[in-house]
Amino acid sequence: MTDLLHVKVVKVGIADMNIIKPPHSIRTSGLGSCVGLVIYDEKKGIAGLAHVMLPDSSLAKSGQINVAKFADTAVKELVHLLVKEGARMPFLKAKLAGGAQMFQFASGGDLMRIGPRNVDAVKKELLDLRIQVVAEDVGGNSGRTIEFKLNDCLLNIRTVNKGTKSI
């Protein structure tokens, strides 16, 4: 039986990432237009979470970039960290949540669709790496908090004014 005193929730901030092994869980909050991406290897018992803010690192100002902030760099870096810790590429799976359209703009320009663009960018990177998306809860216009537990590989999603569900 797991000693509950030694189970901790690893918190991931905005534009951040981390990995866990059993019996811990991993959580991020403040997912509006941001995407919370969980990648895991169920058999090896390892998972990682990235809180992605923007779709493309070309949007970064010059200088050192935060790789966790952008979909194109965060997905690759999270996979690198997981493989370094023993995960196997062919067995990686992904779950994602977030990507809401938090504000409505009269112009409707593509640049203001940050949430949907984040989701598309994350999915493109996962497709390029041949990582299957097994579940998602994206879009809408409400913020989310997510927590992933390796013991059942469920992603628990608490959506503002909509309750909790697991995928």
Side-chain angles (χ1 to χ4, degrees):
M1 186 162 147
T2 304
D3 183 356
L4 295 178
L5 296 176
H6 293 98
V7 176
K8 69 178 181 182
V9 177
V10 175
K11 293 182 179 136
V12 173
I14 296 171
D16 194 12
M17 68 175 65
N18 210 332
I19 60 174
I20 58 164
K21 292 185 176 180
H24 309 304
S25 64
I26 195 163
R27 174 189 305 156
T28 194
S29 57
L31 291 174
S33 58
C34 297
V35 171
L37 168 66
V38 174
I39 300 176
Y40 63 100
D41 181 334
E42 188 172 2
K43 293 206 182 323
K44 284 289 187 176
I46 187 168
L49 170 64
H51 186 128
V52 177
M53 280 183 69
L54 294 168
D56 188 346
S57 60
S58 68
L59 300 169
K61 298 187 175 28
S62 61
Q64 187 69 23
I65 70 162
N66 174 355
V67 294
K69 186 175 188 175
F70 304 97
D72 64 326
T73 53
V75 175
K76 291 178 186 97
E77 180 63 16
L78 185 57
V79 168
H80 171 76
L81 291 173
L82 289 165
V83 169
K84 191 169 114 180
E85 289 296 319
R88 301 152 306 159
M89 279 298 295
F91 299 100
L92 292 177
K93 296 178 184 173
K95 294 186 179 189
L96 53 134
Q101 183 63 39
M102 297 302 290
F103 308 102
Q104 299 303 321
F105 296 97
S107 69
D110 193 50
L111 272 178
M112 299 325 260
R113 296 180 54 252
I114 295 169
R117 287 175 52 227
N118 281 340
V119 172
D120 291 346
V122 167
K123 286 182 174 180
K124 179 197 174 302
E125 294 299 324
L126 291 168
L127 182 65
D128 289 350
L129 293 169
R130 296 187 174 99
I131 297 173
Q132 179 186 8
V133 176
V134 294
E136 64 181 76
D137 180 39
V138 297
N141 56 12
S142 298
R144 297 170 173 91
T145 294
I146 62 172
E147 184 172 343
F148 184 79
K149 297 178 181 163
L150 268 166
N151 63 339
D152 58 11
C153 290
L154 285 176
L155 182 62
N156 297 307
I157 305 159
R158 191 170 71 240
T159 305
V160 175
N161 299 325
K162 293 187 180 166
T164 304
K165 69 178 176 181
S166 295
I167 59 172

